[in-house]
């Protein structure tokens, strides 16, 4: 019994506090703006109908009386009416999806700002070529037409949102009845005034006496307490509709989530490799260099009459430390080349300078790709240059790197013997697989006799 009483007390307290919470105010404001937008959109068909009626009246003239109404319309006017109707219909077809997308963006922004609910935008509209192509693209714009249908499907929710606004505004008005009644209803005893209506969402009743104003006050209290909960339910239903009609859809949203997860995984992997390279450079490499220096000092301090076996062991240890240091440096560069810290253009310049085949390098990169893409692009060019040196018998290699819209495009071509085939284990298959992990692609043109041209397309962002 005690637990039940405590629960009822908590529920009553929540109901009393609901109208004054920030969340309730935001939800009521959302419903109010949604009502204004919904009514405005529903008025568009009536406006178009009025426009067509006005055009028809203008083209038929403004004659008066029975003669004007009975006279048949001239055929030219009928053709003009048909032409105007076709033009308006074409304008509606062209503009409706765009208007729907804009309206959807407004509703998504309202949901994000007032309700804290993020609804992802749909896929961008495709653009056709030419007039017929653009018309066909508009007709196939599924997200745009879903956004056009959204206000119609939303009609039941709009009614509930209207009720929420009426509950809030009407309840506040009804709360004022006892306070202004004696100020405006102080008539002499013999005068009878008309009863004052009290509006509620379920109908109206009339108040004729001061005692009756307390009934209006009670109705106002009930309406004010109910308004936040009605608004909350309407807002939740509206957001549910938005996710289904104004968002990406389940499949598209799933694809977007997977792409985001993949991008985070790629970036995290690149950051982990950079951290590993720094740890090797700042830790193991320095210690190994110190060991090599100490062994070199120990060898110099050995006396001339020292045991030859001891000298030989020290020499071997010193040479082994130096060899291990060189291998560690190559390993660190293979994990993450330090030259990439200065940008992809400088890194490609370093690759070209160290290539066994003369390289002509051209770069046009006004923006830097993300670090993971820079690293991938660097190793792609390094692999292609190594292949050209080993297999192509080329005398000249050309490397081009430029930004084309959202993509980074790398072109590596040589004047060698050609015949490059990914199936023969030249590293090209692994290159293509590495590019596909970020939705990139590798195109290879290498006829027998040459030349060979490899194009690697990567996104600027993983």
């Amino acid at each position: 019994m005690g637990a039940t009483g405590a629960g009822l007390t908590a529920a009553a307290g929540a109901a009393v506090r609901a109208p004054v919470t920030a969340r309730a105010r935001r939800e009521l404001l959302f419903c109010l703006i949604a009502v204004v937008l919904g009514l405005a959109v529903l008025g568009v068909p009536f406006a178009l109908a009025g426009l067509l009626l006005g055009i028809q009246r203008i083209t038929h003239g403004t004659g008066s009386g029975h003669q004007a109404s009975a006279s048949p319309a001239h055929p030219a006017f009928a053709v003009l009416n048909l032409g105007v109707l076709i033009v308006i219909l074409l304008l509606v077809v062209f503009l409706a999806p765009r208007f729907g997308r804009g309206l959807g963006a407004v509703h998504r922004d309202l949901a994000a700002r007032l309700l804290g609910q993020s609804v992802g935008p749909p896929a961008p509209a495709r653009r056709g070529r030419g007039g017929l192509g653009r018309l066909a693209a508009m007709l196939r714009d599924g997200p745009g037409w879903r956004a056009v249908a959204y206000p119609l499907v939303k009609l039941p929710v709009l009614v509930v949102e209207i009720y929420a606004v009426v509950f809030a505004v009407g309840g506040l008005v009804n709360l004022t009845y006892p306070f202004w009644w004696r100020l405006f209803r102080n008539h002499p005893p013999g005068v009878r005034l008309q009863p004052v209506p009290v509006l509620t969402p379920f109908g109206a009743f009339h108040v004729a006496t001061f005692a009756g104003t307390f009934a209006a006050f009670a109705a106002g209290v009930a309406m004010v307490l109910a308004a936040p909960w009605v608004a909350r339910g309407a807002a939740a239903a509206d957001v549910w509709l938005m996710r289904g009609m104004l968002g990406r859809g389940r499949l598209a949203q799933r694809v977007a989530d997977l792409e985001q997860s993949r991008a985070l995984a790629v970036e995290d992997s690149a950051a982990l490799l950079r951290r590993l390279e720094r740890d090797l450079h700042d830790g193991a490499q320095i210690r190994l260099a110190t060991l090599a220096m100490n062994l070199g000092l120990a060898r110099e301090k050995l006396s001339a009459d020292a045991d030859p076996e001891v000298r030989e062991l020290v020499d071997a240890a010193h040479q082994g430390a130096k060899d291990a240091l060189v291998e560690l440096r190559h390993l660190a560069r293979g994990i993450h080349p330090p030259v990439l810290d200065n940008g992809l253009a400088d890194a490609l310049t370093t690759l070209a300078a160290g290539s066994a085949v003369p390289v002509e390098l051209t770069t046009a990169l006004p923006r830097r790709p993300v670090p993971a893409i820079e690293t991938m692009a660097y190793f792609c060019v390094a692999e292609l240059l190594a292949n050209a040196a080993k297999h192509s018998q080329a005398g000249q290699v050309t490397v081009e790197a430029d930004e084309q819209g959202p993509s980074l495009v790398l072109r590596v071509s040589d004047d060698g013997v050609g015949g490059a085939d990914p199936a023969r284990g030249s590293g090209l298959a692994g290159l293509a697989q590495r590019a596909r992990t970020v939705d990139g692609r590798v195109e290879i043109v290498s006829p027998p006799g040459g030349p060979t041209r490899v194009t690697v397309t990567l996104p600027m962002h993983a």
Side-chain angles (χ1 to χ4, degrees):
M1 188 69 180
T4 303
L8 292 176
T9 302
V16 172
R17 291 191 300 270
V20 296
T21 60
R23 177 181 177 180
R25 292 194 296 270
R26 291 195 301 269
E27 289 169 342
L28 284 170
L29 180 59
F30 174 83
C31 289
L32 176 61
I33 298 175
V35 167
V36 174
L37 290 175
L39 295 178
V41 172
L42 292 177
V44 171
F46 296 98
L48 290 176
L51 177 62
L52 291 175
L53 183 60
I55 293 174
Q56 186 177 13
R57 294 189 62 181
I58 291 173
T59 54
H60 278 74
T62 57
S64 61
H66 178 73
Q67 181 179 0
S69 61
S71 59
H74 195 277
F77 290 151
V79 174
L80 179 61
N81 282 338
L82 181 60
V84 171
L85 179 61
I86 292 175
V87 170
I88 291 178
L89 289 177
L90 288 176
L91 286 176
V92 168
V93 171
F94 268 102
L95 298 179
R98 296 183 181 180
F99 174 77
R101 283 180 173 271
L103 185 65
V106 171
H107 280 86
R108 290 193 302 270
D109 186 63
L110 283 176
R113 291 176 180 271
L114 297 179
L115 305 179
Q117 297 289 335
S118 177
V119 180
R126 297 181 179 179
R127 295 185 178 182
R129 295 182 179 179
L132 292 178
R134 286 193 292 270
L135 179 60
M138 288 293 179
L139 292 175
R140 292 195 300 266
D141 185 10
W145 288 108
R146 285 201 305 271
V148 172
Y150 163 75
L152 300 177
V153 179
K154 182 192 167 181
L155 276 176
V157 179
L158 181 63
V159 173
V160 181
E161 289 172 339
I162 293 174
Y163 264 83
V165 174
V166 170
F167 267 98
V169 177
L172 292 175
V173 171
N174 292 341
L175 288 176
T176 65
Y177 273 62
F179 301 100
W180 57 261
W181 184 270
R182 292 188 181 277
L183 297 177
F184 297 98
R185 307 287 290 189
N186 52 356
H187 53 280
V191 178
R192 291 182 58 85
L193 299 179
Q194 292 292 332
V196 179
V198 178
L199 300 178
T200 71
F202 307 103
F205 64 91
H206 295 79
V207 173
T209 63
F210 177 70
T213 61
F214 291 99
F217 184 85
V221 170
M223 291 167 65
V224 168
L225 292 178
W229 306 104
V230 178
R232 185 165 302 175
D238 205 342
V239 170
W240 180 79
L241 275 179
M242 286 185 201
R243 296 190 188 279
M245 303 193 70
L246 303 182
R248 291 190 177 97
R250 290 185 178 180
L251 181 59
Q253 183 64 44
R254 179 60 177 163
V255 171
D257 292 341
L258 291 174
E259 289 178 347
Q260 184 179 9
S261 300
R262 182 197 61 192
L264 293 175
V266 170
E267 293 175 3
D268 183 67
S269 176
L272 179 62
L273 291 177
R274 289 195 302 271
R275 187 164 61 249
L276 179 59
E277 185 272 333
R278 285 195 301 267
D279 292 341
L280 289 175
H281 181 274
D282 298 336
Q285 188 171 330
I286 292 178
R287 292 181 181 178
L288 200 55
T290 303
L291 175 61
M293 291 175 59
N294 291 334
L295 288 172
L297 292 175
R299 184 184 60 180
E300 293 176 0
K301 290 183 177 295
L302 287 175
S303 60
D305 57 349
D307 189 347
E309 293 184 359
V310 174
R311 183 178 294 277
E312 184 178 352
L313 288 174
V314 173
D315 288 341
H318 182 240
Q319 186 61 41
K322 291 194 296 182
D323 293 343
L325 182 60
V326 172
E327 292 179 4
L328 187 61
R329 285 173 179 169
H330 285 304
L331 176 62
R333 291 193 186 100
I335 293 174
H336 177 75
V339 71
L340 275 175
D341 295 339
N342 298 326
L344 182 60
D346 290 347
L348 294 181
T349 302
T350 303
L351 271 179
S355 174
V357 182
V359 176
E360 179 183 349
L361 175 65
T362 303
T363 59
L365 300 172
R367 295 184 303 150
R368 290 189 63 173
V370 296
I373 298 299
E374 280 189 333
T375 303
M376 188 173 295
Y378 175 89
F379 285 117
C380 285
V381 175
E383 178 71 23
L384 291 173
L385 290 179
N387 283 345
K390 292 179 182 178
H391 308 292
S392 70
Q393 303 176 21
Q396 179 73 32
V397 177
T398 301
V399 177
E400 300 174 4
D402 60 355
E403 177 185 349
Q404 294 184 3
S407 300
L408 169 65
V409 180
L410 306 170
R411 301 181 187 88
V412 181
S413 56
D414 63 64
D415 56 359
V417 297
D421 186 2
R424 293 191 305 193
S426 59
L428 296 176
L431 200 69
Q433 184 177 3
R434 185 185 306 170
R436 282 196 298 268
T437 60
V438 291
D439 284 344
R441 64 182 185 274
V442 176
E443 300 173 1
I444 303 170
V445 179
S446 182
T452 297
R453 183 181 180 88
V454 180
T455 302
V456 181
T457 304
L458 302 173
M460 294 292 287
H461 301 276

